[in-house]
Amino acid sequence: MLNLERLRALDALARHGSVSGAADGLHVTTSAVSQQMAKLEREVGQQLLARNGRGIRLTDAGRLLADHAAKILSQVEIAQSDIEAQRGRVVGEVRLAAFPTAARGLFPAALSALRALHPELAVRTAELEPESGIRAVLRGDADLAVVLDWSNKRLPVPGGLARAELLDDAPDIAMPSGHPLADRAEVGLEDFADDEWVSWPEGEFCYEWLVFTLRSKGIEPRISHLAGEHHTQLALIAAGFGVCVAPRLGRGPVPEGVRLVPVRQTMRRHVHAVWRTDADRRPSIRAAVEALREAGRSLHEPAG
């Protein structure tokens, strides 16, 4: 009889490629993963792991069993979803991830609604950039991720994931209040061909979007400063160190000396939720999506 937790450890090893990665993904120690694998090898009577330099690799038998483990665990997820759906109650635990401005802009209201409507549901959250959030959902480290793409650059969503639109986020351009364009009613990115830019860190989806968008307008961007936090970006703008794209979701207070001007083009960030299709019927997933949507809708409602 194959033990489900040992198959889960093997599946995590296959997905992460290392004992330490599997341990992080399963939220256990490396010794616990090694012990599970040693027991699994004794159960099946075959070597599943082999040394590969300083790391490990799966043997042929290990890869074969890992393929079966992925299918078995998917079926277990479907079974759990069906049981939850039949029961109809939103209970248990749901793990949510979101990129930072969505975590700040959506999570407080969404989590408050979930706590009020579904007190038996435990919610765990984490901040992850869009690509990392998708990987976490695929690995099973998160149940749902809030991710984004742009109207002119879409984020690839792998097969096996379902998605739901949450809201569209309109960005502005942030510039020092003394900038020559600070009094404009609206601006275009091409108006800043000669300016220095403050941007997200290299490798992040929004950094790639900014470079792609400016180059598509014939502008080679002069990106002088990189900062992951929007508060840091705006602080640099206030000090006169360039301009930046400033989305409205989760923006927070704008420092003195910064002027925000809308972009005249129909440029939008599309914010959506993704989750594994084999968890599609889980009431907790549906409840989380609705709470996030309602939090997004409330952002566009006029103050009473």
Side-chain angles (χ1 to χ4, degrees), residues 10 29 46 52 64 89 92 122 129 148 152 175 195 213 230 252 292 294:
L10 176 63
T29 63
Q46 293 194 62
N52 184 28
L64 177 64
R89 293 168 56 209
E129 291 298 328
L148 67 90
N152 64 332
M175 65 195 78
D195 284 86
T213 302
H230 282 273
L292 289 164
E294 184 58 35

Side-chain angles (χ1 to χ4, degrees), residues 269-292:
R269 290 200 312 177
H270 305 299
V271 180
H272 47 269
V274 297
W275 62 93
R276 286 168 58 133
T277 53
D278 55 20
D280 195 51
R281 296 186 62 197
R282 285 178 57 187
S284 57
I285 295 289
R286 298 188 176 199
V289 170
E290 182 51 37
L292 289 164

Side-chain angles (χ1 to χ4, degrees), residues 46-195:
Q46 293 194 62
Q47 184 179 359
L48 303 176
L49 301 178
R51 290 286 180 188
N52 184 28
R54 294 185 179 180
I56 56 96
R57 62 174 177 82
L58 295 177
T59 63
D60 290 344
R63 285 195 297 270
L64 177 64
L65 187 55
D67 289 341
H68 284 292
K71 296 172 185 175
I72 291 167
L73 293 171
S74 178
Q75 284 301 122
V76 169
E77 181 73 35
I78 293 171
Q80 290 173 334
S81 297
D82 286 346
I83 289 295
E84 281 190 32
Q86 187 179 52
R87 185 170 49 193
R89 293 168 56 209
V90 182
V91 297
E93 179 182 86
V94 65
R95 298 161 298 167
L96 310 180
F99 59 95
T101 52
R104 187 162 59 247
L106 298 178
F107 275 178
L111 269 59
S112 296
L114 288 171
R115 182 168 56 187
L117 296 171
H118 310 291
E120 295 180 86
L121 179 67
V123 184
R124 291 169 50 195
T125 66
E127 279 190 3
L128 292 174
E129 291 298 328
E131 300 94 331
S132 298
I134 286 177
R135 287 195 296 269
V137 172
L138 289 171
R139 289 195 306 262
D141 297 340
D143 298 307
L144 179 150
V146 180
V147 300
L148 67 90
D149 55 21
W150 293 82
S151 51
N152 64 332
K153 188 174 176 63
R154 307 300 288 188
L155 178 71
V157 175
L161 295 184
R163 63 190 288 172
E165 299 298 325
L166 299 179
L167 74 150
D168 281 353
D169 185 30
D172 300 314
I173 300 297
M175 65 195 78
S177 56
H179 193 282
L181 304 181
D183 292 331
R184 293 274 188 93
E186 57 182 16
V187 292
L189 266 65
E190 64 275 12
D191 296 332
F192 302 93
D194 297 325
D195 284 86

